[in-house]
Amino acid sequence: DAKTTQPPSMDCAEGRAANLPCNHSTISGNEYVYWYRQIHSQGPQYIIHGLKNNETNEMASLIITEDRKSSTLILPHATLRDTAVYYCIVRVANQAGTALIFGKGTTLSVSS
Amino acid sequence: GAVVSQHPSRVICKSGTSVKIECRSLDFQATTMFWYRQFPKQSLMLMATSNEGSKATYEQGVEKDKFLINHASLTLSTLTVTSAHPEDSSFYICSARDKIPGRQPQHFGDGTRLSIL
């Protein structure tokens, strides 16, 4: 799986958009970008994933650059409950038998 | 959506005892289950991968005789920490992969916080 690089921490004001970057310059053509988050003392929660096109769901939007070497997770209106560690993971979809490997992620702190 | 139930959520026990943690996939069949461990202020570290009906594959540095994994059915995996000591205190998280591929590569339980006195 390709390596990812994320800033260790970010701050965001409540109600504003939170933009979390992720670099994955060695990504392969068949690797997807997955985002999970972990709220304190809970298991990781799936947010969104994508291959080439931008994606949006009820939780967030994922913007992937045209060269696919980086992406940005956008929480359009951050709330205090969005305070968590956000993990960007790159891997082949439906890769049987292999686990998601977590890096250090970005700690997002949302404040009022 | 797919739910992974982990039990107990918290356990405190004396040094030397063995502790069993259960992980169940509630509304799907899991061909593969994964166990992670997380120390304070650190990321999740993969401990082992188990497939239903076969022996688990352990990551380097994880003692298979200390962390016994049983994956007897497509909906249940157990992790037993044998003769636990204070250094085994950690947050243990299980994860399951659906037999039918979907959006998410893995579904996670809410973790078990183990404290050894």
Side-chain angles (χ1 to χ4, degrees):
Chain A
D1 297 337
K3 179 181 169 61
T4 62
T5 304
Q6 298 178 254
S9 63
M10 293 184 68
D11 295 320
C12 181
E14 190 178 21
R16 305 297 292 268
N19 299 298
L20 292 91
C22 179
N23 285 324
H24 31 79
S25 59
T26 61
I27 192 170
S28 301
N30 62 345
E31 289 184 313
Y32 285 70
V33 181
Y34 291 89
W35 283 84
Y36 279 76
R37 73 178 181 184
Q38 186 180 25
I39 295 169
H40 183 63
S41 293
Q42 295 183 23
Q45 175 189 25
Y46 166 83
I47 302 174
I48 198 168
H49 77 281
L51 181 64
K52 293 182 186 177
N53 300 322
N54 298 337
E55 302 287 344
T56 296
N57 62 20
E58 64 278 5
M59 290 182 69
S61 294
L62 174 61
I63 308 298
I64 302 174
T65 58
E66 193 167 341
D67 63 8
R68 304 212 317 125
K69 292 185 176 182
S70 65
S71 59
T72 301
L73 178 74
I74 301 172
L75 307 179
H77 306 286
T79 70
L80 298 178
R81 287 179 294 181
D82 291 323
T83 293
V85 180
Y86 288 77
Y87 297 98
C88 169
I89 301 169
V90 169
R91 60 169 278 154
V92 176
N94 298 324
Q95 192 171 25
T98 58
L100 289 172
I101 301 302
F102 290 80
K104 296 183 179 179
T106 296
T107 299
L108 175 67
S109 299
V110 181
S111 57
S112 57
Chain B
V3 175
V4 173
S5 174
Q6 197 172 332
H7 179 79
S9 59
R10 184 176 180 91
V11 59
I12 302 171
C13 60
K14 294 181 180 179
S15 183
T17 57
S18 293
V19 178
K20 180 185 283 189
I21 302 169
E22 287 189 353
C23 178
R24 294 179 185 274
S25 56
L26 295 187
D27 51 0
F28 67 97
Q29 292 185 323
T31 51
T32 307
M33 286 189 169
F34 308 93
W35 288 94
Y36 295 81
R37 179 169 52 179
Q38 186 175 34
F39 292 108
K41 298 188 186 300
Q42 294 186 22
S43 188
L44 287 78
M45 295 292 293
L46 179 67
M47 297 176 67
T49 299
S50 73
N51 293 296
E52 184 258 343
S54 60
K55 289 184 179 180
T57 301
Y58 290 82
E59 295 299 301
Q60 191 172 9
V62 178
E63 299 175 54
K64 63 179 182 180
D65 294 330
K66 180 157 187 67
F67 299 100
L68 302 179
I69 293 172
N70 185 284
H71 190 168
S73 76
L74 285 173
T75 59
L76 173 65
S77 176
T78 60
L79 169 68
T80 301
V81 184
T82 61
S83 187
H85 289 96
E87 58 266 29
D88 298 321
S89 298
S90 188
F91 191 49
Y92 292 86
I93 304 168
C94 77
S95 179
R97 179 178 176 80
D98 198 329
K99 186 177 179 181
I100 301 172
R103 289 188 316 167
Q104 303 182 38
Q106 290 174 221
H107 308 280
F108 289 84
D110 270 339
T112 296
R113 188 159 303 280
L114 175 63
S115 300
I116 308 298
L117 304 177

